[in-house]
Amino acid sequence: MSEFNANHNRIVWCDIPVADLDRASAFYREVLAIGVESIAFGGGAFALLEHEQGNGACLVQQAGYAGNADGPLVYFNCDGRLSEAVDAVARNGGRVIEPMHSIGPHGMRAIVQDSEGNRIALHSSAATGA
């Protein structure tokens, strides 16, 4: 994590529970248009979402996980490609809960359910090119 992120961001990492690591990896790879690296570690498995110098997240496989439509809402950056990201949701096993809409001066978002039943937000900073 970069020094800027460590000093200025309140959320520094996110573990996203999943039942099917391969399915969830494909969902996030396609919807966010990023690399997702599968890693075996200590008898378990997880997948790291590409994040370079930004804040990171990983998919953590949990046997019997049934999804979570409540709790914290994690926003994923889809700046300039929000429409494309929303279109990729259903093709990759998710569903749109709230279609793309304005959140005032904070840009645009869509709330979706990922392939594992988790509620997430897809975000773009401006309506232009959303």
Side-chain angles (χ1 to χ4, degrees):
M1 171 178 11
S2 72
E3 185 175 325
F4 177 84
N5 284 325
N7 291 332
H8 299 284
N9 291 308
R10 300 300 150 238
I11 297 182
V12 298
W13 190 265
C14 180
D15 284 350
I16 302 168
V18 303
D20 185 319
L21 192 57
D22 291 335
R23 178 179 63 204
S25 293
F27 177 90
Y28 283 92
R29 182 179 299 112
E30 294 299 318
V31 171
L32 300 180
I34 61 171
V36 178
E37 179 185 1
S38 295
I39 301 168
F41 180 77
F46 64 95
L48 183 64
L49 303 183
E50 178 182 46
H51 60 281
E52 295 183 24
Q53 293 298 313
N55 295 338
C58 67
L59 309 172
V60 181
Q61 189 162 334
Q62 294 182 0
Y65 183 69
N68 183 8
D70 299 314
L73 182 60
V74 177
Y75 281 63
F76 286 94
N77 183 0
C78 296
D79 217 27
R81 54 172 303 281
L82 186 56
S83 294
E84 182 182 329
V86 171
D87 290 344
V89 168
R91 286 194 318 265
N92 289 280
R95 74 178 180 90
V96 176
I97 297 170
E98 292 181 24
M100 225 172 37
H101 59 278
S102 172
I103 51 175
H106 306 291
M108 301 283 290
R109 77 172 184 186
I111 298 178
V112 305
Q113 188 174 54
D114 73 5
S115 62
E116 307 306 295
N118 296 304
R119 182 182 63 126
I120 62 172
L122 305 176
H123 179 263
S124 183
S125 60
T128 305

